[in-house]
Amino acid sequence: DTIWHLRQLKVLELKNNFFTDLPPELANLSKLHTLILTQNRFSKIPAAVGKLSGLLGLHLSKNELEVLPSFVCNLNLTELYLNQNQLERLPVAIGNLSQLSKLFLKDNRLSSLPSSMGKLQNLRQLLLINNPLPLKERKKLRELLPNCDIQYQY
């Protein structure tokens, strides 16, 4: 319980556990800039994450996420790691992540991506390996993000 009182904490790494949720007190960590929740059992992103206004890096790979909630897209993230989840689509609000430079979506179920991805002009690395994206979607994405290194296969 005392971890939620560490208001100066900048990096919180809680990977390789069996967490399915986090308490609302997570929002007390106002100085947090990196949150690592890799390899847990999250089926949804805890609501308190949306209140971490200083968050720059969010690591949620190897969980059980089916949906990326829009509140994540209201953060000022520069890095978002969502590899090895069960995402079938991204919200249109993904385009709000204007500072995003890395978006890792390897090993999901994405068959299309919203056109709002074109707003991600700071995106430099997009990992889409092992997603069922048709060629048409891939071409569209390359046109929307000409300055981004997009990887579809190993």
Side-chain angles (χ1 to χ4, degrees):
D1 285 337
T2 57
I3 192 170
W4 311 121
H5 300 290
L6 300 172
R7 299 187 192 282
Q8 300 302 312
L9 193 66
K10 292 184 171 138
V11 177
L12 180 58
E13 185 172 329
L14 298 172
K15 67 180 184 179
N16 300 322
N17 291 288
F18 295 96
F19 295 137
T20 57
D21 202 3
L22 292 174
E25 290 82 8
L26 174 67
N28 294 343
L29 305 177
S30 59
K31 303 279 186 195
L32 202 64
H33 64 70
T34 304
L35 180 58
I36 304 169
L37 301 173
T38 303
Q39 205 162 353
N40 280 287
R41 297 238 171 110
F42 293 105
S43 59
K44 61 180 185 169
I45 298 176
V49 171
K51 297 182 175 133
L52 296 170
S53 60
L55 202 61
L56 299 175
L58 181 56
H59 301 247
L60 279 159
S61 294
K62 296 184 180 180
N63 277 285
E64 300 166 4
L65 300 173
E66 294 180 8
V67 174
L68 180 66
S70 293
F71 68 75
V72 170
C73 303
N74 295 326
L75 297 169
N76 293 312
L77 298 175
T78 58
E79 299 182 357
L80 180 56
Y81 299 88
L82 296 165
N83 294 324
Q84 294 177 291
N85 278 286
Q86 298 167 23
L87 298 171
E88 293 184 6
R89 65 185 161 281
L90 296 178
V92 172
I94 193 83
N96 296 344
L97 292 170
S98 60
Q99 299 305 309
L100 200 63
S101 65
K102 291 182 181 180
L103 178 56
F104 286 21
L105 296 162
K106 181 178 83 164
D107 297 317
N108 277 284
R109 299 176 181 170
L110 298 166
S111 58
S112 68
L113 294 168
S115 296
S116 61
M117 294 277 294
K119 294 181 183 178
L120 302 177
Q121 293 305 307
N122 286 311
L123 195 62
R124 295 294 169 256
Q125 196 172 10
L126 176 57
L127 198 59
L128 288 164
I129 296 167
N130 202 21
N131 279 282
L133 278 168
L135 186 58
K136 178 181 166 185
E137 282 291 314
R138 294 176 185 199
K139 286 181 179 178
K140 177 181 91 171
L141 206 50
R142 289 217 189 270
E143 290 172 11
L144 290 171
L145 298 167
N147 299 317
C148 183
D149 175 21
I150 305 172
Q151 297 178 27
Y152 297 108
Q153 54 191 338
Y154 291 104

